């Protein structure tokens, strides 16, 4: 299974697709599974397919050896003339986000693991930010959130610093969080403002002051495969 750490120096890509109907989501997941199972691209390390829960859509968490390897994939005739047109027929938006892992924490104390066998309830949020504030946002979403380890049902939290994108204008930061269940996530979200610990209030205040946009969805991990499997 893919394992994630801020020590990793590889390229992490999040391809996020939105759609307008559950049946299109099923088709997206099916198409992604076929691509992942057939993947043999130079520099490709792993892919993990997620299905949207709150809103129809999918996300593919992909690890690449380098940006050069990814660009070779993007420039290939098969990607331009088959993959993108196929996804274009099924989606309302496509964002191909290139990132470096800036921060991660896990209740296990080890690397963050991503696998359908774990049954995690996954929350992915994409935050728009002015370029000069990107590092500040990484800090407010990462090192300032160590209090999460004490939250019931919390599993892991990873912050990805955006370095390039297709389908998204401007700078961005991505939050990838795992929870034991939807109930645990909903309970965390429902805590009244005056009951939140001071560290959480401060982190949320700083984060809110830096954002230019935010878009999030919740997901279930459906399928994963790594190179050599």
């Amino acid at each position: 299974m893919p394992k994630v750490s801020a020590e990793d120096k590889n390229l992490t890509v999040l391809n996020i697709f939105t759609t307008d109907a559950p049946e299109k989501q099923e088709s997206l997941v099916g198409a992604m599974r076929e691509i992942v199972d057939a993947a043999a691209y130079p520099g490709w390390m792993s892919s993990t397919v997620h299905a949207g829960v709150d809103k129809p859509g999918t996300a593919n968490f992909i690890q690449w050896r380098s940006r050069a390897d990814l660009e070779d994939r993007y420039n290939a005739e098969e990607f331009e003339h088959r993959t993108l047109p196929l996804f274009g027929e099924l989606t309302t938006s496509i964002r191909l986000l290139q990132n470096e892992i800036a921060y991660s924490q896990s209740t296990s104390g080890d690397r963050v693991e991503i696998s359908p066998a774990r049954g995690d309830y996954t929350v992915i949020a994409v935050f728009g930010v002015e370029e000069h504030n990107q590092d500040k946002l990484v800090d407010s979403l990462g090192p300032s959130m160590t209090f999460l380890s004490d939250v019931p049902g919390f599993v892991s939290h990873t912050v990805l610093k955006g370095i390039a994108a297709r389908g998204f204008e401007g700078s961005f930061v991505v939050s990838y969080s795992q929870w034991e269940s939807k109930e645990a996530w909903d309970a965390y979200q429902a805590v009244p403002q005056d009951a939140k610990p001071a560290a959480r209030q401060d982190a949320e205040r700083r984060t809110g002051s830096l954002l230019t946009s935010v878009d999030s969805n919740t997901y279930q991990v459906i399928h994963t495969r790594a190179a050599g499997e």
Side-chain angles (χ1 to χ4, degrees):
M1 69 180 72
K3 296 186 177 181
V4 178
S5 169
E7 298 177 359
D8 296 339
K9 301 305 177 185
N10 302 308
L11 178 71
T12 299
V13 176
L14 263 173
N15 292 342
I16 299 177
F17 302 81
T18 60
T19 188
D20 54 8
E23 59 270 21
K24 290 183 179 180
Q25 174 175 296
E26 292 181 10
S27 296
L28 279 169
V29 168
M32 282 187 172
R33 290 183 67 122
E34 289 183 7
I35 292 172
V36 169
D37 286 342
Y41 316 110
W44 171 81
M45 300 171 64
S46 74
S47 292
T48 305
V49 180
H50 301 60
V53 175
D54 283 349
K55 297 179 289 187
T58 62
N60 195 355
F61 190 105
I62 314 169
Q63 296 170 309
W64 286 87
R65 182 177 57 197
S66 69
R67 289 186 69 185
D69 291 315
L70 174 64
E71 291 303 324
D72 286 343
R73 159 69 171 150
Y74 282 169
N75 292 330
E77 182 176 345
E78 184 266 346
F79 181 80
E80 290 287 346
H81 298 291
R82 181 181 180 277
T83 304
L84 281 183
L86 171 63
F87 288 146
E89 294 175 0
L90 298 170
T91 63
T92 53
S93 71
I94 299 175
R95 286 172 291 175
L96 311 181
L97 309 177
Q98 299 179 38
N99 314 268
E100 59 185 29
I101 298 174
Y103 176 84
S104 65
Q105 64 171 306
S106 171
T107 53
S108 69
D110 299 320
R111 289 170 172 259
V112 174
E113 298 179 346
I114 305 175
S115 167
R118 293 176 50 85
D120 297 310
Y121 187 75
T122 303
V123 183
I124 302 176
V126 181
F127 301 97
V129 62
E130 297 289 344
E131 184 176 0
H132 65 278
N133 285 328
Q134 189 182 37
D135 288 336
K136 293 179 182 178
L137 183 57
V138 167
D139 181 71
S140 67
L141 290 172
S144 298
M145 301 284 280
T146 55
F147 64 86
L148 282 171
S149 295
D150 297 322
V151 176
F154 169 77
V155 177
S156 77
H157 177 58
T158 302
V159 178
L160 302 102
K161 180 179 179 180
I163 55 178
R166 294 188 182 192
F168 188 96
E169 296 295 328
S171 297
F172 62 94
V173 176
V174 178
S175 168
Y176 183 99
S177 299
Q178 297 171 317
W179 295 78
E180 291 179 357
S181 65
K182 173 177 171 30
E183 290 73 21
W185 168 247
D186 288 344
Y188 172 72
Q189 292 290 93
V191 175
Q193 184 66 22
D194 58 3
K196 295 176 182 178
R200 179 178 175 181
Q201 292 187 36
D202 180 62
E204 290 180 351
R205 182 168 53 251
R206 288 196 293 142
T207 297
S209 70
L210 297 170
L211 301 181
T212 58
S213 66
V214 58
D215 184 40
S216 65
N217 195 9
T218 55
Y219 298 88
Q220 176 186 4
V221 177
I222 298 296
H223 183 60
T224 191
R225 177 173 168 265
E229 293 182 352

